[in-house]
Amino acid sequence: MRTSREVSVPVRTTAVRTAPFDAIRFLGALQVSVGHYYGVSCRSVRIDAGGGNAVMLFFVMSGFVMGVAYGDRARALGRQADAGVHLLKATSYGETDTIVNGKGGAVSRLSLNSFTLRFLARRAARIGPLYWLSLLLYLPYSFYEQCRLPHLDLADPTSFALPMCTADEIDLIALTTLTTALFVTAWIPYPYGASINTPLWTVTCQFSYWALFPRLALWLPDRLSLRRTLFACALLGLLYAASSVAVAAVVFAADYQPETNMFARKPPPIMYAYLVAHLWPLAKMPIFLIGQLCGAAAMQLSDEAQAREQSRTQSDAPSDTPSPVDDTRKQPDEQRWWPRVAGLVTLFYLSFTAMQVYVSSVPALGKRYMLVMRIGSELAFPPLFGLWLLALSQSADSRLGRLLSCRPLKTAGAISFAWYVLHMPLLSYYGWLRLGFTPYWAARADRSLPLLSAVEILPFFALLAVLSIAAHYLIEVPARRELSRKLDLMS
């Protein structure tokens, strides 16, 4: 008869400090919202603040944080499942999971699948309330945008009547709304899957990664040297760039343009090919893996730092016998490299973003900018972002780390998700109410007509800050706690 035996998942006693990430997260949300303001609602000045790079940074950060928070547990479950053990109890991260012998692979695999479902449910509980709210807020605007905007005729006042959608247009809006609500919209080719509050496509990419995360954590090596980790990140970066270029090349060579009314004017073929490749979730998976590998490296470095500290403490303790010479005193000199790396990458990223803002605002450089700076940086920067986050996690006590971890920036990071998902609905209704019904939609139909001014971004951002703070503290946090409590009761 088979007897059960308890196996404890190793409990981590060291922490990877990710407090500086909050400020980086808000910076990314700010870049995206600035780009959308000057790209959609402002005609006098065109500015791209590097929103595409910010999205890549979000993806790397998501992989990093997930790898640090859940990587050990997912790997333990997967390996024990391979050995035929069954999970009886899974507590929150940082506590001990109790595992006993099961009855074979089928029962064991059920443990990993159960963990995956609970993991996805908790991620949905965390981001879902504001995500679904922003979708509902944008939906009324989307009806008019998709049903009437492509048909407006400035010479015909009757074309500004209330939207009357055809059956096909209603079906398309319903399909897009449903796929967005279920976190799968990015898998539908552009523009069908990116029409209802378009920034939400990034969340669906993250959800696709979260669905694969437990098995990816099992497959990826969890103990690599720093040099091998950086080399693996470089290879993943090349894989991401090659897959994105291949998708864009196929779409461009096919010369495909969608027959849909979602475009008031069709984009150039090269822009359409870029958008399809940019929004394709499968091409983004290597970016998440870069973050996950760097998160594993951060955990290993933290363990090594704690071991050196314990060795130093023991060597400094009074003893009757002389202790051997310990080379751990070299650690302060070695540790200075991480703050330097973090500072250099931070300076480079801010400088490059400032250059993007300047180059994109010069009309004569627009095409060259799009081909070289925007697309090139989006393809090349993910491995650099992994190094940046790794360096910040190892230099939280440096001047830069303390600056990025200060309370105002931590608060800004806390509201960054609300800022990100709500800025497009607010921007759309703000322009509509600010200019009036007919002038606004006339300007949307004719790009030669002015919309909002360049300086009006300041009152818009003030309103967005108030809305984001209210949404975070009155909706996001209470809803997250209530949903998490119900999930705990169900499990």
Side-chain angles (χ1 to χ4, degrees):
M1 181 176 178
R2 206 174 189 180
T3 59
S4 65
R5 60 183 178 86
E6 291 192 357
V7 181
S8 282
V9 176
V11 180
R12 295 193 55 80
T13 58
T14 57
V16 177
R17 303 173 65 178
T18 60
F21 293 6
D22 291 331
I24 304 299
R25 190 179 295 112
F26 178 73
L27 173 62
L30 188 65
Q31 289 178 260
V32 173
S33 57
V34 168
H36 284 160
Y37 181 89
Y38 288 107
V40 176
S41 296
C42 180
R43 302 278 170 76
S44 59
V45 179
R46 179 173 178 81
I47 292 178
D48 189 331
N53 291 332
V55 169
M56 302 304 110
L57 179 57
F58 289 154
F59 292 162
V60 175
M61 189 180 299
S62 178
F64 190 104
V65 174
M66 291 299 101
V68 168
Y70 296 97
D72 281 348
R73 179 189 292 182
R75 278 189 293 270
L77 283 178
R79 288 166 183 167
Q80 296 290 356
D82 289 342
V85 294
H86 176 53
L87 176 70
L88 289 185
K89 179 182 178 182
T91 56
S92 60
Y93 174 73
E95 300 177 5
T96 300
D97 296 340
T98 304
I99 302 175
V100 301
N101 276 348
K103 296 182 179 180
V107 177
S108 304
R109 282 191 295 272
L110 181 62
S111 301
L112 189 59
N113 293 336
S114 177
F115 169 80
T116 301
L117 292 176
R118 288 197 300 270
F119 174 73
L120 288 176
R122 291 190 178 279
R123 299 315 300 170
R126 183 175 182 84
I127 67 172
L130 280 186
Y131 176 89
W132 293 316
L133 174 64
S134 69
L135 174 64
L136 292 176
L137 289 176
Y138 197 84
L139 192 57
Y141 180 91
S142 181
F143 270 96
Y144 204 95
E145 182 180 44
Q146 296 182 25
C147 296
R148 273 288 171 248
L149 180 58
H151 310 296
L152 288 182
D153 183 0
L154 299 184
D156 181 12
T158 61
S159 66
F160 288 89
L162 291 177
M164 298 295 292
C165 297
T166 65
D168 290 341
E169 289 170 338
I170 291 178
D171 291 343
L172 186 58
I173 294 174
L175 172 64
T176 308
T177 303
L178 178 62
T179 55
T180 303
L182 296 177
F183 304 103
V184 296
T185 184
W187 289 98
I188 301 176
Y190 183 84
Y192 306 101
S195 59
I196 307 294
N197 195 8
T198 51
L200 298 185
W201 75 269
T202 62
V203 182
T204 66
C205 283
Q206 287 183 303
F207 214 83
S208 301
Y209 163 70
W210 294 335
L212 299 174
F213 167 74
R215 285 165 176 79
L216 292 175
L218 175 62
W219 295 336
L220 285 179
D222 57 337
R223 287 296 182 265
L224 286 178
S225 66
L226 180 60
R227 181 177 300 178
R228 290 185 176 181
T229 296
L230 298 179
F231 180 72
C233 290
L235 291 180
L236 288 170
L238 289 175
L239 176 61
Y240 154 67
S243 60
S244 299
V245 171
V247 171
V250 170
V251 174
F252 183 76
D255 195 22
Y256 171 73
Q257 285 287 306
E259 295 297 331
T260 171
N261 288 333
M262 286 185 176
F263 289 120
R265 61 187 186 93
K266 293 185 183 296
I270 190 171
M271 175 59 70
Y272 180 72
Y274 161 75
L275 290 173
V276 171
H278 182 62
L279 302 178
W280 189 41
L282 192 58
K284 299 296 183 289
M285 291 301 112
I287 304 179
F288 292 102
L289 297 183
I290 289 173
Q292 194 170 327
L293 281 178
C294 290
M299 290 192 292
Q300 183 172 353
L301 290 172
S302 297
D303 289 342
E304 293 172 356
Q306 185 189 48
R308 284 192 295 266
E309 183 63 27
Q310 292 176 348
S311 176
R312 182 184 297 109
T313 302
Q314 294 174 358
S315 64
D316 291 342
S319 175
D320 295 335
T321 61
S323 60
V325 177
D326 188 0
D327 62 352
T328 56
R329 302 184 187 278
K330 296 180 181 179
Q331 175 61 16
D333 293 333
E334 299 171 359
Q335 198 66 17
R336 291 196 189 102
W337 282 105
W338 287 119
R340 292 175 183 175
V341 171
L344 287 175
V345 179
T346 302
L347 180 61
F348 171 78
Y349 184 70
L350 295 178
S351 301
F352 188 89
T353 301
M355 189 182 303
Q356 280 186 298
V357 171
Y358 170 73
V359 172
S360 63
S361 64
V362 179
L365 301 176
K367 293 182 179 180
R368 185 182 306 172
Y369 152 76
M370 178 58 67
L371 293 175
V372 177
M373 293 197 70
R374 181 182 177 92
I375 299 178
S377 59
E378 289 179 11
L379 295 177
F381 280 4
L384 181 65
F385 292 152
L387 176 62
W388 189 16
L389 298 180
L390 178 58
L392 285 173
S393 70
Q394 300 303 306
S395 55
D397 290 328
S398 66
R399 292 180 180 178
L400 177 62
R402 291 195 299 269
L403 173 63
L404 296 179
S405 304
C406 66
R407 184 172 294 275
L409 292 181
K410 285 184 67 66
T411 303
I415 68 168
S416 61
F417 183 70
W419 182 291
Y420 181 78
V421 298
L422 294 176
H423 78 272
M424 277 302 289
L426 180 61
L427 179 60
S428 302
Y429 290 115
Y430 178 86
W432 190 342
L433 297 175
R434 169 70 176 78
L435 298 178
F437 181 82
T438 300
Y440 175 78
W441 288 106
R444 286 293 310 271
D446 186 352
R447 296 186 65 85
S448 64
L449 298 177
L451 275 171
L452 301 178
S453 65
V455 298
E456 204 160 354
I457 192 174
L458 298 178
F460 166 70
F461 271 6
L463 288 175
L464 181 57
V466 173
L467 178 63
S468 300
I469 293 172
H472 174 70
Y473 289 104
L474 299 181
I475 299 176
E476 183 180 9
V477 173
R480 181 193 305 167
R481 289 174 178 171
E482 181 64 20
L483 290 175
S484 297
R485 185 185 66 84
K486 290 184 178 180
L487 288 174
D488 289 338
L489 293 176
M490 291 173 59
S491 59

